[in-house]
mmCIF file of all heavy atoms in Angstrom:
data_model
loop_
_atom_site.group_PDB
_atom_site.id
_atom_site.type_symbol
_atom_site.label_atom_id
_atom_site.label_comp_id
_atom_site.label_asym_id
_atom_site.label_seq_id
_atom_site.Cartn_x
_atom_site.Cartn_y
_atom_site.Cartn_z
ATOM 1 N N PHE A 422 -27.567 33.083 -6.863
ATOM 2 C CA PHE A 422 -27.058 33.123 -5.391
ATOM 3 C C PHE A 422 -25.940 31.895 -5.141
ATOM 4 O O PHE A 422 -26.299 31.094 -4.425
ATOM 5 C CB PHE A 422 -28.141 32.968 -4.534
ATOM 6 C CG PHE A 422 -29.330 34.019 -4.649
ATOM 7 C CD1 PHE A 422 -30.503 33.601 -5.282
ATOM 8 C CD2 PHE A 422 -29.216 35.334 -4.417
ATOM 9 C CE1 PHE A 422 -31.452 34.474 -5.535
ATOM 10 C CE2 PHE A 422 -30.150 36.277 -4.674
ATOM 11 C CZ PHE A 422 -31.375 35.855 -5.175
ATOM 12 N N PRO A 423 -24.907 32.033 -5.739
ATOM 13 C CA PRO A 423 -23.916 31.006 -5.773
ATOM 14 C C PRO A 423 -23.223 30.891 -4.298
ATOM 15 O O PRO A 423 -22.512 29.949 -3.968
ATOM 16 C CB PRO A 423 -22.876 31.207 -6.859
ATOM 17 C CG PRO A 423 -22.959 32.715 -6.932
ATOM 18 C CD PRO A 423 -24.386 33.031 -6.752
ATOM 19 N N ARG A 424 -23.341 31.923 -3.603
ATOM 20 C CA ARG A 424 -22.775 32.120 -2.259
ATOM 21 C C ARG A 424 -23.615 31.512 -1.192
ATOM 22 O O ARG A 424 -23.271 31.834 0.031
ATOM 23 C CB ARG A 424 -22.371 33.465 -1.919
ATOM 24 C CG ARG A 424 -21.291 34.118 -2.916
ATOM 25 C CD ARG A 424 -21.016 35.565 -2.560
ATOM 26 N NE ARG A 424 -22.163 36.387 -2.512
ATOM 27 C CZ ARG A 424 -22.099 37.633 -2.045
ATOM 28 N NH1 ARG A 424 -20.960 38.208 -1.828
ATOM 29 N NH2 ARG A 424 -23.237 38.459 -2.039
ATOM 30 N N THR A 425 -24.665 30.874 -1.391
ATOM 31 C CA THR A 425 -25.611 30.320 -0.389
ATOM 32 C C THR A 425 -25.381 28.707 -0.360
ATOM 33 O O THR A 425 -25.003 28.122 -1.313
ATOM 34 C CB THR A 425 -27.027 30.525 -0.763
ATOM 35 O OG1 THR A 425 -27.325 30.140 -2.044
ATOM 36 C CG2 THR A 425 -27.270 32.105 -0.596
ATOM 37 N N LEU A 426 -25.688 28.222 0.809
ATOM 38 C CA LEU A 426 -25.656 26.802 1.088
ATOM 39 C C LEU A 426 -27.082 26.345 1.608
ATOM 40 O O LEU A 426 -27.583 26.858 2.438
ATOM 41 C CB LEU A 426 -24.624 26.476 2.058
ATOM 42 C CG LEU A 426 -23.158 26.660 1.670
ATOM 43 C CD1 LEU A 426 -22.238 26.281 2.853
ATOM 44 C CD2 LEU A 426 -22.766 25.744 0.481
ATOM 45 N N PHE A 427 -27.570 25.302 1.024
ATOM 46 C CA PHE A 427 -28.879 24.658 1.446
ATOM 47 C C PHE A 427 -28.559 23.566 2.411
ATOM 48 O O PHE A 427 -27.729 22.701 2.083
ATOM 49 C CB PHE A 427 -29.725 24.230 0.307
ATOM 50 C CG PHE A 427 -30.377 25.448 -0.354
ATOM 51 C CD1 PHE A 427 -29.736 26.212 -1.417
ATOM 52 C CD2 PHE A 427 -31.564 25.801 -0.115
ATOM 53 C CE1 PHE A 427 -30.275 27.171 -2.134
ATOM 54 C CE2 PHE A 427 -32.342 26.826 -0.723
ATOM 55 C CZ PHE A 427 -31.584 27.533 -1.744
ATOM 56 N N ASP A 428 -29.290 23.478 3.553
ATOM 57 C CA ASP A 428 -29.136 22.387 4.444
ATOM 58 C C ASP A 428 -30.490 21.471 4.380
ATOM 59 O O ASP A 428 -31.485 21.974 4.874
ATOM 60 C CB ASP A 428 -28.851 22.998 5.850
ATOM 61 C CG ASP A 428 -28.611 21.887 6.882
ATOM 62 O OD1 ASP A 428 -28.640 20.701 6.482
ATOM 63 O OD2 ASP A 428 -28.510 22.104 8.015
ATOM 64 N N ASP A 429 -30.334 20.360 3.744
ATOM 65 C CA ASP A 429 -31.485 19.532 3.555
ATOM 66 C C ASP A 429 -32.063 18.934 4.916
ATOM 67 O O ASP A 429 -33.215 18.720 4.959
ATOM 68 C CB ASP A 429 -31.200 18.368 2.617
ATOM 69 C CG ASP A 429 -30.754 18.895 1.200
ATOM 70 O OD1 ASP A 429 -31.072 19.986 0.906
ATOM 71 O OD2 ASP A 429 -30.072 18.014 0.515
ATOM 72 N N SER A 430 -31.183 18.794 5.916
ATOM 73 C CA SER A 430 -31.693 18.152 7.189
ATOM 74 C C SER A 430 -32.470 19.133 7.974
ATOM 75 O O SER A 430 -33.519 18.771 8.603
ATOM 76 C CB SER A 430 -30.436 17.772 8.038
ATOM 77 O OG SER A 430 -29.627 18.838 8.348
ATOM 78 N N SER A 431 -32.147 20.452 7.864
ATOM 79 C CA SER A 431 -32.957 21.474 8.614
ATOM 80 C C SER A 431 -33.814 22.246 7.793
ATOM 81 O O SER A 431 -34.538 23.184 8.269
ATOM 82 C CB SER A 431 -32.011 22.283 9.352
ATOM 83 O OG SER A 431 -31.193 23.104 8.504
ATOM 84 N N ARG A 432 -33.755 22.035 6.443
ATOM 85 C CA ARG A 432 -34.655 22.817 5.471
ATOM 86 C C ARG A 432 -34.273 24.277 5.725
ATOM 87 O O ARG A 432 -35.227 25.094 5.843
ATOM 88 C CB ARG A 432 -36.119 22.528 5.707
ATOM 89 C CG ARG A 432 -36.545 20.955 5.508
ATOM 90 C CD ARG A 432 -36.280 20.587 4.098
ATOM 91 N NE ARG A 432 -36.835 19.232 3.854
ATOM 92 C CZ ARG A 432 -36.117 18.138 4.044
ATOM 93 N NH1 ARG A 432 -34.861 18.126 4.337
ATOM 94 N NH2 ARG A 432 -36.729 16.923 3.845
ATOM 95 N N SER A 433 -33.102 24.664 5.560
ATOM 96 C CA SER A 433 -32.707 26.026 5.705
ATOM 97 C C SER A 433 -31.733 26.373 4.672
ATOM 98 O O SER A 433 -31.119 25.443 3.923
ATOM 99 C CB SER A 433 -32.090 26.286 7.136
ATOM 100 O OG SER A 433 -30.889 25.422 7.272
ATOM 101 N N VAL A 434 -31.454 27.689 4.427
ATOM 102 C CA VAL A 434 -30.584 28.276 3.621
ATOM 103 C C VAL A 434 -29.613 29.191 4.355
ATOM 104 O O VAL A 434 -30.119 29.952 5.152
ATOM 105 C CB VAL A 434 -31.138 28.833 2.325
ATOM 106 C CG1 VAL A 434 -32.053 29.973 2.739
ATOM 107 C CG2 VAL A 434 -30.073 29.295 1.350
ATOM 108 N N CYS A 435 -28.324 29.147 4.156
ATOM 109 C CA CYS A 435 -27.392 30.055 4.840
ATOM 110 C C CYS A 435 -26.400 30.709 3.846
ATOM 111 O O CYS A 435 -26.245 30.076 2.706
ATOM 112 C CB CYS A 435 -26.728 29.387 5.950
ATOM 113 S SG CYS A 435 -25.897 27.828 5.451
ATOM 114 N N GLY A 436 -25.820 31.782 4.148
ATOM 115 C CA GLY A 436 -24.717 32.418 3.458
ATOM 116 C C GLY A 436 -24.730 33.931 3.648
ATOM 117 O O GLY A 436 -25.093 34.351 4.673
ATOM 118 N N PHE A 437 -24.310 34.801 2.567
ATOM 119 C CA PHE A 437 -24.312 36.137 2.882
ATOM 120 C C PHE A 437 -25.614 36.653 3.120
ATOM 121 O O PHE A 437 -26.581 36.279 2.414
ATOM 122 C CB PHE A 437 -23.682 36.686 1.628
ATOM 123 C CG PHE A 437 -22.166 36.724 1.446
ATOM 124 C CD1 PHE A 437 -21.466 35.619 1.528
ATOM 125 C CD2 PHE A 437 -21.434 37.991 1.404
ATOM 126 C CE1 PHE A 437 -20.098 35.507 1.502
ATOM 127 C CE2 PHE A 437 -20.047 37.986 1.350
ATOM 128 C CZ PHE A 437 -19.522 36.773 1.353
ATOM 129 N N LYS A 438 -25.812 37.590 4.069
ATOM 130 C CA LYS A 438 -27.135 38.081 4.501
ATOM 131 C C LYS A 438 -27.906 38.651 3.296
ATOM 132 O O LYS A 438 -29.023 38.425 3.128
ATOM 133 C CB LYS A 438 -26.885 39.160 5.584
ATOM 134 C CG LYS A 438 -28.172 39.634 6.181
ATOM 135 C CD LYS A 438 -27.802 40.600 7.295
ATOM 136 C CE LYS A 438 -27.246 39.866 8.524
ATOM 137 N NZ LYS A 438 -27.056 40.719 9.680
ATOM 138 N N SER A 439 -27.204 39.340 2.351
ATOM 139 C CA SER A 439 -27.890 39.932 1.271
ATOM 140 C C SER A 439 -28.555 38.854 0.372
ATOM 141 O O SER A 439 -29.667 39.151 -0.156
ATOM 142 C CB SER A 439 -26.980 40.864 0.428
ATOM 143 O OG SER A 439 -25.791 40.035 0.003
ATOM 144 N N ASP A 440 -27.776 37.844 0.119
ATOM 145 C CA ASP A 440 -28.323 36.713 -0.662
ATOM 146 C C ASP A 440 -29.427 35.940 -0.062
ATOM 147 O O ASP A 440 -30.438 35.743 -0.640
ATOM 148 C CB ASP A 440 -27.125 35.738 -1.006
ATOM 149 C CG ASP A 440 -26.144 36.416 -1.956
ATOM 150 O OD1 ASP A 440 -26.413 37.424 -2.533
ATOM 151 O OD2 ASP A 440 -24.991 35.915 -1.863
ATOM 152 N N VAL A 441 -29.307 35.706 1.232
ATOM 153 C CA VAL A 441 -30.313 34.953 1.964
ATOM 154 C C VAL A 441 -31.599 35.793 2.086
ATOM 155 O O VAL A 441 -32.667 35.182 1.954
ATOM 156 C CB VAL A 441 -29.819 34.478 3.335
ATOM 157 C CG1 VAL A 441 -30.890 33.839 4.189
ATOM 158 C CG2 VAL A 441 -28.565 33.559 3.210
ATOM 159 N N ASN A 442 -31.394 37.087 2.281
ATOM 160 C CA ASN A 442 -32.578 37.921 2.455
ATOM 161 C C ASN A 442 -33.349 37.978 1.106
ATOM 162 O O ASN A 442 -34.598 38.189 1.085
ATOM 163 C CB ASN A 442 -32.174 39.272 2.932
ATOM 164 C CG ASN A 442 -31.827 39.505 4.365
ATOM 165 O OD1 ASN A 442 -32.018 38.431 5.154
ATOM 166 N ND2 ASN A 442 -31.146 40.587 4.791
ATOM 167 N N SER A 443 -32.585 38.009 0.090
ATOM 168 C CA SER A 443 -33.233 37.970 -1.310
ATOM 169 C C SER A 443 -34.041 36.723 -1.511
ATOM 170 O O SER A 443 -35.171 36.828 -2.138
ATOM 171 C CB SER A 443 -32.218 38.287 -2.355
ATOM 172 O OG SER A 443 -31.441 39.413 -2.242
ATOM 173 N N ILE A 444 -33.586 35.594 -1.086
ATOM 174 C CA ILE A 444 -34.206 34.372 -1.293
ATOM 175 C C ILE A 444 -35.449 34.317 -0.304
ATOM 176 O O ILE A 444 -36.590 33.911 -0.860
ATOM 177 C CB ILE A 444 -33.261 33.062 -0.937
ATOM 178 C CG1 ILE A 444 -32.229 33.005 -1.971
ATOM 179 C CG2 ILE A 444 -34.119 31.801 -0.708
ATOM 180 C CD1 ILE A 444 -31.275 31.874 -1.671
ATOM 181 N N GLU A 445 -35.352 34.969 0.867
ATOM 182 C CA GLU A 445 -36.587 34.986 1.700
ATOM 183 C C GLU A 445 -37.633 35.850 1.075
ATOM 184 O O GLU A 445 -38.810 35.495 1.101
ATOM 185 C CB GLU A 445 -36.088 35.559 3.041
ATOM 186 C CG GLU A 445 -37.227 35.602 4.051
ATOM 187 C CD GLU A 445 -36.739 36.016 5.427
ATOM 188 O OE1 GLU A 445 -35.532 36.324 5.635
ATOM 189 O OE2 GLU A 445 -37.452 36.161 6.365
ATOM 190 N N LYS A 446 -37.212 36.926 0.376
ATOM 191 C CA LYS A 446 -38.276 37.812 -0.255
ATOM 192 C C LYS A 446 -38.819 37.139 -1.399
ATOM 193 O O LYS A 446 -40.069 37.171 -1.670
ATOM 194 C CB LYS A 446 -37.523 39.112 -0.750
ATOM 195 C CG LYS A 446 -37.167 40.054 0.366
ATOM 196 C CD LYS A 446 -36.537 41.317 -0.102
ATOM 197 C CE LYS A 446 -35.966 42.191 1.140
ATOM 198 N NZ LYS A 446 -35.291 43.373 0.478
ATOM 199 N N LEU A 447 -38.027 36.293 -2.129
ATOM 200 C CA LEU A 447 -38.638 35.586 -3.204
ATOM 201 C C LEU A 447 -39.648 34.600 -2.786
ATOM 202 O O LEU A 447 -40.645 34.415 -3.349
ATOM 203 C CB LEU A 447 -37.418 34.826 -4.001
ATOM 204 C CG LEU A 447 -36.594 35.764 -4.869
ATOM 205 C CD1 LEU A 447 -35.391 34.946 -5.352
ATOM 206 C CD2 LEU A 447 -37.335 36.447 -6.008
ATOM 207 N N LEU A 448 -39.400 33.941 -1.662
ATOM 208 C CA LEU A 448 -40.324 32.981 -1.107
ATOM 209 C C LEU A 448 -41.697 33.780 -0.716
ATOM 210 O O LEU A 448 -42.750 33.209 -0.911
ATOM 211 C CB LEU A 448 -39.593 32.410 0.115
ATOM 212 C CG LEU A 448 -40.712 31.473 0.992
ATOM 213 C CD1 LEU A 448 -41.157 30.259 0.250
ATOM 214 C CD2 LEU A 448 -39.894 30.967 2.257
ATOM 215 N N THR A 449 -41.468 34.899 -0.040
ATOM 216 C CA THR A 449 -42.705 35.715 0.327
ATOM 217 C C THR A 449 -43.545 36.057 -0.750
ATOM 218 O O THR A 449 -44.798 36.125 -0.798
ATOM 219 C CB THR A 449 -42.219 36.809 1.150
ATOM 220 O OG1 THR A 449 -41.386 36.560 2.310
ATOM 221 C CG2 THR A 449 -43.549 37.647 1.672
ATOM 222 N N ASN A 450 -42.872 36.467 -1.896
ATOM 223 C CA ASN A 450 -43.567 36.978 -3.154
ATOM 224 C C ASN A 450 -43.784 35.887 -4.114
ATOM 225 O O ASN A 450 -44.257 36.212 -5.311
ATOM 226 C CB ASN A 450 -42.784 38.118 -3.739
ATOM 227 C CG ASN A 450 -42.617 39.248 -2.786
ATOM 228 O OD1 ASN A 450 -43.563 39.523 -1.979
ATOM 229 N ND2 ASN A 450 -41.494 39.938 -2.831
#
Side-chain angles (χ1 to χ4, degrees):
F422 307 107
R424 299 181 303 178
T425 55
L426 294 176
F427 284 84
D428 184 3
D429 297 341
S430 61
S431 63
R432 301 295 188 266
S433 62
V434 60
C435 51
F437 277 58
K438 185 174 294 185
S439 58
D440 295 338
V441 174
N442 287 347
S443 295
I444 291 178
E445 185 177 359
K446 289 179 181 177
L447 287 173
L448 173 63
T449 304
N450 301 327

